[in-house]
Amino acid sequence: MHRIALAGPTDFEGWRDAARRLARQGVDPAEVVWSVAGESVDLFGAVSSEPTAAPPEGPAFAVPRGFLDLAETAILHADPERFALLYKMLCRIRTDHDALEDSVDPLNVRLNSLARAVRRDIHKMHAFVRFRAVETEAGECFIAWFEPEHHIVEAAAPFFVRRFASMRWSILTPERSVHWDGEVLRFSEGVDRSAAPGEDALEDLWRRYYAAIFNPARLKVQAMMSEMPRKYWRNLPEASLIKPLIDQAERRSAEMVQSAATPENPRPQRPAPASPAEAPAAAGSIEALRDEAAGCRRCPLWASATQTVFGEGPEDAGIVFVGEQPGDQEDLAGRPFVGPAGQVFDAALREAGIDRTRVYVTNAVKHFKFVPRGKRRLHQKPDVADIVACHDWLAQELAILRPRLVVALGLTAVRSLTGKTMTLASAREQLLTTRNGATLLATIHPSFLLRLPDQNEKAREYARFLDDLKRVAALAQSA
């Protein structure tokens, strides 16, 4: 009997070397006992790495690349028979190079089933890991808890390195934990669930977002339960909402069918001046400029919008935030940043220590540009002509306000304020200057955070957005 002890449950190299040697020696699969160091072995005694008298090795033989790929994946399964099954297939391939092509062979079916289960477990880890912010001596770190079914932590870890390269994070599991400090990926022993942190401040934001995007009309409970099994729910902040949302889905769907289209604002557009040439010059206050802009017809957007949405805030504001354009709720209310993106914006301002009542908030384009989709009005990005037509209003706002610092929220605002074409990543890395010479700092538009489907990526981008706002606060104080 040949007894082979592997270094660990994912020791593919150790299995491959031993299996290759045994196969070349012609050792029958029934004569090999596979085990993992530190785990219990069979009932017949201790494990030794070599038989007492090894038979001579036969000639080397080639195996298909597909078998190596299958073996590297299937060996991560928790099934204790996986090593023996793979060795049995290796021996079969030695005499029949095309053995893997038999798709109905029971051994082939079972090995592929193991590999699929491993890939599914890796996918679930990528999808259902939820990081929570924790303050440590070295600074902010994001920690998550996950309970994989198989030995997948090392295989799944590179995904998180690529996705969250700039974050310091740890993923804790019962068997194996992984840690990233921004430069080096390392692994450690597993820990108990009690070592993972509880909720953080971002989880309430994530729950509000999840509730906002939940569409009861498209709910398919069976499909959802298949993709998001209950065993993962206790680690998901949105899980507490799932049952109530499912219970309310039928009623909400009926209400959606019965509800009318969004009503127009009772305050219609004011009459436009006879022609742009006859428009009076802006007076020396924001209020006078707002009254003048209410009748703007400089571009076609006014025709479908409810009203001009002008900026608001004190005229002595030291900071001016410039967004892209008003959204659906802003168009109805006649005020900037009052919708979902505005709520995220307000929350981030509070965390950064910026008082919204002391800043001026406006948009590069003053009318809501959208395309109708049934009863909904879907945001449509302004084009260059829209930005150019509206720039004079923004320029006059800045001339009256004379702020210490201007903050562009998104690329549309950057283009309007600088007249230049650049990437947001490039603009975000430097201090810019507006066309009238004011200091300009660029960051994302808060609506970008609402569009991110992945909660971990959302947390990472929100943290970067918050860092940008803290920089804004520091620059405004030093100006």
Side-chain angles (χ1 to χ4, degrees):
M1 182 67 69
H2 297 252
R3 305 183 185 278
I4 307 298
L6 302 175
T10 62
D11 183 14
F12 173 74
E13 288 76 12
W15 173 87
R16 181 186 58 192
D17 293 343
R20 180 188 295 137
R21 183 180 67 253
L22 293 170
R24 291 178 64 180
Q25 292 170 352
V27 176
D28 188 275
E31 295 297 315
V32 184
V33 175
W34 300 89
S35 66
V36 174
E39 295 181 2
S40 60
V41 297
D42 72 307
L43 301 177
F44 299 101
V47 169
S48 60
S49 59
E50 294 287 347
T52 53
E57 293 186 9
F61 62 99
V63 298
R65 176 68 239 185
F67 173 71
L68 294 178
D69 294 338
L70 175 66
E72 283 185 302
T73 303
I75 212 166
L76 305 181
H77 201 281
D79 189 334
E81 295 184 7
R82 62 195 183 279
F83 305 113
L85 294 171
L86 287 167
Y87 178 62
K88 186 175 181 180
M89 177 57 77
L90 178 65
C91 291
R92 188 173 296 178
I93 289 173
R94 188 187 180 203
T95 57
D96 178 8
H97 190 269
D98 298 324
L100 282 180
E101 302 300 320
D102 187 355
S103 60
V104 297
D105 174 70
L107 177 59
N108 203 3
V109 169
R110 185 170 178 186
L111 286 173
N112 278 281
S113 176
L114 298 185
R116 282 195 302 272
V118 168
R119 287 193 291 268
R120 180 176 174 82
D121 204 26
I122 292 173
H123 168 70
K124 295 304 181 186
M125 183 170 178
H126 291 167
F128 296 134
V129 159
R130 294 291 187 265
F131 287 110
R132 293 171 167 88
V134 175
E135 287 296 331
T136 67
E137 293 182 0
E140 188 177 50
C141 183
F142 292 85
I143 300 179
W145 170 259
F146 189 73
E147 298 173 46
E149 293 183 358
H150 307 294
H151 310 291
I152 63 165
V153 173
E154 293 184 18
F159 166 85
F160 296 99
V161 173
R162 294 191 300 271
R163 181 64 66 88
F164 308 113
S166 63
M167 288 170 46
R168 294 174 57 250
W169 51 261
S170 294
I171 302 175
L172 313 179
T173 83
E175 179 185 274
R176 195 91 164 127
S177 297
V178 56
H179 315 273
W180 172 254
D181 62 4
E183 296 181 358
V184 178
L185 186 70
R186 62 184 181 85
F187 297 88
S188 65
E189 297 298 317
V191 296
D192 186 77
R193 176 71 175 83
S194 60
E199 291 194 359
D200 64 9
L202 283 177
E203 295 198 9
D204 187 52
L205 176 65
W206 172 248
R207 278 189 287 265
R208 291 201 302 271
Y209 168 70
Y210 185 81
I213 65 170
F214 183 85
N215 187 346
R218 301 186 65 181
L219 175 64
K220 295 181 180 178
V221 176
Q222 224 174 1
M224 186 189 75
M225 298 295 288
S226 174
E227 184 62 26
M228 187 189 293
R230 283 185 179 274
K231 63 185 177 182
Y232 298 109
W233 287 19
R234 62 176 176 170
N235 297 323
L236 305 177
E238 67 270 28
S240 62
L241 302 178
I242 294 176
K243 188 177 186 305
L245 289 172
I246 291 175
D247 293 342
Q248 299 165 16
E250 186 174 350
R251 174 182 58 79
R252 289 181 60 195
S253 295
E255 290 174 352
M256 289 170 64
V257 172
Q258 296 171 5
S259 63
T262 305
E264 291 189 357
N265 193 290
R267 294 174 291 174
Q269 284 279 355
R270 302 182 187 183
S275 70
E278 297 174 15
S285 71
I286 290 294
E287 190 60 38
L289 192 62
R290 180 182 292 109
D291 290 341
E292 183 183 355
C296 181
R297 302 291 191 275
R298 296 179 181 178
C299 73
L301 297 185
W302 70 270
S304 55
T306 305
Q307 58 192 313
T308 302
V309 180
F310 210 70
E312 67 175 17
E315 291 196 15
D316 62 348
I319 307 173
V320 172
F321 287 92
V322 182
E324 179 188 78
Q325 67 164 2
D328 179 77
Q329 294 189 33
E330 288 80 6
D331 174 69
L332 297 176
R335 297 179 54 215
F337 285 87
V338 295
Q343 295 174 25
V344 174
F345 180 57
D346 287 348
L349 287 180
R350 285 193 296 271
E351 284 195 64
I354 299 174
D355 183 355
R356 174 160 174 173
T357 64
R358 296 301 309 151
V359 302
Y360 188 88
V361 182
T362 189
N363 283 296
V365 176
K366 310 300 187 188
H367 283 114
F368 179 34
K369 184 174 185 178
F370 64 92
V371 289
R373 287 290 183 271
K375 297 179 180 180
R376 300 177 62 196
R377 302 189 300 173
L378 300 184
H379 165 278
Q380 191 175 29
K381 189 177 181 64
D383 56 31
V384 175
D386 303 323
I387 298 171
V388 171
C390 227
H391 175 72
D392 187 55
W393 296 119
L394 178 59
Q396 290 188 70
E397 284 179 288
L398 295 179
I400 293 171
L401 295 167
R402 300 175 62 84
R404 292 190 297 274
L405 180 64
V406 180
V407 183
L409 301 172
L411 201 52
T412 296
V414 172
R415 182 158 193 168
S416 178
L417 289 162
T418 65
K420 300 176 182 178
T421 302
M422 64 182 76
T423 65
L424 184 59
S426 172
R428 202 173 182 181
E429 293 173 353
Q430 55 187 304
L431 276 180
L432 302 169
T433 304
T434 66
R435 299 188 199 190
N436 65 350
T439 301
L440 173 64
L441 189 146
T443 185
I444 59 170
H445 193 286
S447 63
F448 169 70
L449 298 169
L450 297 178
R451 295 193 298 270
L452 293 175
D454 184 86
Q455 193 265 351
N456 296 323
E457 186 175 5
K458 187 188 302 291
R460 177 172 66 95
E461 291 298 337
Y462 182 83
R464 288 190 64 199
F465 181 50
L466 193 58
D467 287 343
D468 287 343
L469 293 183
K470 290 177 180 178
R471 185 182 175 204
V472 167
L475 286 172
Q477 289 176 0
S478 62

